[in-house]
């Protein structure tokens, strides 16, 4: 299984079509400077939880059999096994939230996890998984289907946010954890952490949901649809069957990531960072402005480290998410969540607008939940606020995870 | 020349690639209902102003020689020839702003022009042109270059907002008009109307600028750049040389328009109109939601009526627009505009955010202009507010064009 993914990434890193350089002859790093999340192509340093049985999936009466969940941990599980915090990732992140001995590269939430930090490894045992459907060690479209001995490709079953949570709670159970101190997540991860409170009310003690929603609004669906369309109309997508081929849908993937990047930040940040500065004084149809060069750079970089099929599957699962499903309405769903909830949102987020987090917080309060904390962050980083606003995000998480911790059922002292 | 454009559109209307139907098998119109501007493929019913001389263009020391400007008029020019109002269009509109005898189809500003309406044809002689670079009768990339006797394609010179205004003012002069009652425009047209006040201060008596700006902000540049990239990376773009071929960059054009459509409205409108309603209960990677189907429909429709090269040229001209160019700063530029100005903007506009119109209005006032009127419209229609908010937009324009009209230099009585 691993080797097939290696093949994919080797291909990605070696091949460069002419078209990918249609605009840019050179790229200096200085003018692209600005805060960037540390996402990377993670191919080692994680543990693998193998589930030999079948997981019943939400859609199409499908099951996923004999699959892996890649995960990493930080801190130490106490003897009562009740100090664990699970972090659910966004769409494209790996389990590598934080550097550690087996992988010393900076993790995507490096500054949020560690001794004395927001998720304090002096207190908590922290778990982070790669979602099933992903391409960083968990079973996904680029994996070998044990039934056919070839890559799943687009025969991978349709997956859901429910499936992400269920698969990761199989690991939680496997680790012998019956009570989690908290489910934490942002973006897709925030959907997961919310949903874990519905699916596993007896396991989850606290929920942190950042820049998420009860159900995506149509603009966000449209923005992800456009990204998927970019990939699926690239002739090299080949209906998802490009593993082991000489080509893959790199052009579609690049521009999909350019669209995504534009939606991850905010107008005010682009304005502050790039204004209408030019990198090219020639007047021609091709690129002129720093913002264009930056987006192109982001597209090229990402296409080298993420599997297009994983993007398709996980992005679609996000669109299909609806917390109210199976309940009379959102209020009935939220009424199932009795534990304390921290809701964070950024005023400049265009992908998960802050009214959606407000809707969650107010909805929870209206159902009688007396432990709801809600902050609107005035960060200019848009949807990426959860990765970049170290003060606004960390302070709230730390306070929320540790307040009354000792009087709770969980015990945050290690041993 | 005309026949070459006919060829292009005939081709567009007849060919349908397999890929264009990648998602949608059927499309019922009912669920796509909502207010839509009346844009259309205008191939007749306009007048043609032919300029046999050369127009010096802004960029690359280029000239445009021997070219046409398509235009339509409504109302009657008075004997003093001082009751004319010129309307500058947005990126993709034709000169057909209003129905008339020669073309009875609904115009794109049908409800704003006419007896008793915002631009009152009982008072005013109204002119609207197709921008040079366009494909609705004015000389553009799809026209035949008289020097080579083949289509310009990407040999068409780079054009600017300045060139659009200069070309249309050649027509104004040709019509014997030395004093315009007003320059009016929205979006790109709003850039043009502003700039006409700088370029022709002795001709323009009043300016209406709607949902425009002094200089595009980086998000808008990025959104147009992505659209251009869609077209230019479509193999069928063929470096702009697709006229008379069996194919043209239809797929790139379709998705470019899908991106554009998403930016022309607002999150609140999409939410109100589509929510997260589904048209398809099957769970698969392909489209599920009404918003996806709607965008696809808009992309397909537009690709049948607009030339991709025209989009590239005019879209790029918008990105390069900067009212301050040639002046010390924006304030120095705005100080040149002494005539009354009406500035309108929509609070939900993501392409030309309302702070940009506020910047214009405040900037003008700070230079001492005592006749600045500024309204923030609370329409949910985003950038398309200028086409759809009949009350908010019409009332302001009517009042502004007619207030103190008789005491002004212009005389709004016909004869």
């Amino acid at each position: 299984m691993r080797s097939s993914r290696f093949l994919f990434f080797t291909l990605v890193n070696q091949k460069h079509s002419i078209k990918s350089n249609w605009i840019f002859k050179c790229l200096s790093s200085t003018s692209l400077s600005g805060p960037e999340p540390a996402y990377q192509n993670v191919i080692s340093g994680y543990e693998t939880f193998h589930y030999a049985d079948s997981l019943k999936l939400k859609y199409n009466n499908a099951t996923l059999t004999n699959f892996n969940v890649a995960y990493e941990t930080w801190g130490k599980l106490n003897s009562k096994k009740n100090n664990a915090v699970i972090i659910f990732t966004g769409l494209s992140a790996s389990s590598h939230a934080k550097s550690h001995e087996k992988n010393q590269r900076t993790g995507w939430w490096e500054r949020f996890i560690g001794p004395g930090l927001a998720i304090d490894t002096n207190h908590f045992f922290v778990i982070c998984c790669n979602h099933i459907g992903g391409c960083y060690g968990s079973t996904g479209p680029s994996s070998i289907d044990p039934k056919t001995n070839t890559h799943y490709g687009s025969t991978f079953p349709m997956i859901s946010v429910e499936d992400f949570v269920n698969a990761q709670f199989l690991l939680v159970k496997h680790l012998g954890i019956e009570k989690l101190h908290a489910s934490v997540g942002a973006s897709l991860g925030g959907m997961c952490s919310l949903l874990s409170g519905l699916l596993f009310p007896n396991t989850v003690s606290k929920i942190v949901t950042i820049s998420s929603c009860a159900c995506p609004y149509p603009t966000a669906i449209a923005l992800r649809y456009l990204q998927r369309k970019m990939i699926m109309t690239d002739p090299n997508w080949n209906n998802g069957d490009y593993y082991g081929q000489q080509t893959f849908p790199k052009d579609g993937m690049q521009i999909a990531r350019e669209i995504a990047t534009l939606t991850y930040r905010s107008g005010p940040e682009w304005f502050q960072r790039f204004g209408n500065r030019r990198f090219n004084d020639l007047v021609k149809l091709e690129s002129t402005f720093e913002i264009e060069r930056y987006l192109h750079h982001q597209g090229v970089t990402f296409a080298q480290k993420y599997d297009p099929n994983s993007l398709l599957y996980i992005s679609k699962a996000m669109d299909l998410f609806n917390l109210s499903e199976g309940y009379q309405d959102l209020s009935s769903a939220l009424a199932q969540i009795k534990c304390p909830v921290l809701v964070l949102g950024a005023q400049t987020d265009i992908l998960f607008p802050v009214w959606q987090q407000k809707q969650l917080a107010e909805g929870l309060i209206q159902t009688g939940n007396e432990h709801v904390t809600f902050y609107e962050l005035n960060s200019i980083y848009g949807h990426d606020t959860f990765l970049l606003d170290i003060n606004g995000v960390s302070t709230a998480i730390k306070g929320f995870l540790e307040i009354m911790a000792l009087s709770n059922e969980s015990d945050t002292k290690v041993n």
Side-chain angles (χ1 to χ4, degrees), chain A:
Chain A
M1 271 177 161
R2 188 78 55 82
S3 64
S4 67
R5 271 191 301 274
F6 277 133
L7 261 180
F8 168 74
F9 285 114
T10 307
L11 178 67
V12 174
N13 286 314
Q14 287 179 345
K15 295 276 171 188
H16 291 281
S17 79
I18 296 163
K19 230 200 289 178
S20 74
N21 290 316
W22 74 287
I23 285 178
F24 302 94
K25 301 299 177 194
C26 63
L27 191 69
S28 79
S29 61
T30 51
S31 58
L32 302 178
S33 64
E36 297 295 346
Y39 285 134
Q40 52 200 237
N41 178 8
V42 173
I43 52 172
S44 65
Y46 51 80
E47 308 298 317
T48 303
F49 163 58
H50 183 74
Y51 191 70
D53 206 346
S54 286
L55 174 68
K56 171 102 178 67
L57 302 177
K58 179 177 181 184
Y59 299 125
N60 302 330
N61 282 317
T63 53
L64 190 63
T65 307
N66 220 352
F67 62 92
N68 289 338
V69 175
Y71 70 100
E72 298 175 49
T73 67
W74 303 264
K76 202 173 164 188
L77 190 60
N78 63 12
S79 57
K80 291 184 180 170
K81 297 194 172 184
N82 67 359
N83 70 329
V85 172
I86 188 164
I87 298 172
F88 294 98
T89 78
L91 196 164
S92 56
S94 69
S95 57
H96 194 57
K98 167 89 180 173
S99 58
H100 53 78
E101 266 191 14
K102 288 185 182 171
N103 182 353
Q104 297 178 23
R105 293 169 72 188
T106 304
W108 59 266
W109 238 14
E110 187 74 24
R111 296 179 301 167
F112 295 79
I113 304 164
L117 298 183
I119 304 178
D120 194 331
T121 48
N122 287 334
H123 299 307
F124 303 115
F125 174 65
V126 184
I127 308 163
C128 185
C129 301
N130 183 222
H131 291 300
I132 55 168
C135 57
Y136 294 141
S138 292
T139 297
S142 60
S143 304
I144 298 291
D145 179 353
K147 288 180 200 149
T148 63
N149 215 28
T150 60
H151 301 274
Y152 279 103
S154 60
T155 72
F156 195 75
M158 291 302 294
I159 43 177
S160 66
V161 178
E162 284 81 343
D163 302 331
F164 300 151
V165 174
N166 284 326
Q168 293 178 50
F169 271 67
L170 288 174
L171 167 66
V172 168
K173 192 177 172 190
H174 167 79
L175 295 173
I177 297 165
E178 291 180 3
K179 200 81 185 168
L180 279 171
H181 182 73
S183 280
V184 176
S187 189
L188 165 61
M191 295 173 171
C192 292
S193 64
L194 265 177
L195 192 61
S196 74
L198 281 183
L199 299 179
F200 300 94
N202 298 323
T203 308
V204 177
S205 310
K206 287 184 176 183
I207 291 170
V208 177
T209 183
I210 310 171
S211 301
S212 83
C213 64
C215 175
Y217 84 134
T219 302
I221 291 173
L223 288 163
R224 284 189 289 266
Y225 149 79
L226 288 169
Q227 294 168 50
R228 291 193 298 273
K229 192 167 192 176
M230 293 291 85
I231 293 167
M232 293 170 77
T233 55
D234 184 326
N236 291 327
W237 182 56
N238 194 29
N239 198 33
D241 188 16
Y242 51 80
Y243 304 107
Q245 307 294 315
Q246 287 301 304
T247 56
F248 79 103
K250 183 164 64 66
D251 293 326
M253 189 66 175
Q254 283 183 8
I255 191 138
R257 186 60 172 191
E258 295 195 52
I259 297 173
T261 302
L262 192 59
T263 68
Y264 289 161
R265 299 294 178 86
S266 74
E269 196 210 348
W270 300 131
F271 189 80
Q272 194 178 91
R273 190 164 173 186
F274 297 116
N276 70 332
R277 285 200 312 280
R278 303 180 183 196
F279 72 94
N280 185 350
D281 286 334
L282 296 175
V283 175
K284 51 198 180 77
L285 291 177
E286 287 79 5
S287 289
T288 305
F289 297 94
E290 291 284 5
I291 179 82
E292 298 172 294
R293 183 161 71 149
Y294 171 80
L295 292 178
H296 180 78
H297 173 71
Q298 291 297 321
V300 169
T301 308
F302 187 72
Q304 290 169 9
K305 58 188 178 190
Y306 200 72
D307 179 6
N309 279 338
S310 286
L311 190 148
L312 295 179
Y313 275 91
I314 300 180
S315 150
K316 186 74 187 188
M318 290 176 75
D319 286 0
L320 294 167
F321 179 67
N322 190 343
L323 196 73
S324 314
E325 223 167 42
Y327 296 91
Q328 197 177 347
D329 53 22
L330 178 59
S331 185
S332 311
L334 292 174
Q336 307 304 309
I337 300 177
K338 313 284 191 196
C339 70
V341 183
L342 170 64
V343 183
L344 296 180
Q347 287 163 342
T348 51
D349 192 336
I350 54 176
L351 208 51
F352 291 74
V354 78
W355 64 259
Q356 298 197 297
Q357 294 92 55
K358 205 170 183 174
Q359 180 187 45
L360 285 174
E362 289 176 354
L364 285 163
I365 290 167
Q366 280 163 14
T367 68
N369 192 320
E370 291 177 355
H371 301 286
V372 179
T373 307
F374 171 52
Y375 297 126
E376 269 193 37
L377 305 173
N378 70 350
S379 144
I380 62 163
Y381 295 123
H383 189 59
D384 269 359
T385 289
F386 74 92
L387 296 163
L388 300 171
D389 181 7
I390 182 77
N391 298 318
V393 174
S394 291
T395 305
I397 294 178
K398 189 167 183 72
F400 178 76
L401 291 185
E402 298 186 19
I403 197 164
M404 297 202 309
L406 298 180
S407 64
N408 261 3
E409 285 182 54
S410 63
D411 180 352
T412 60
K413 280 185 185 161
V414 175
N415 293 317

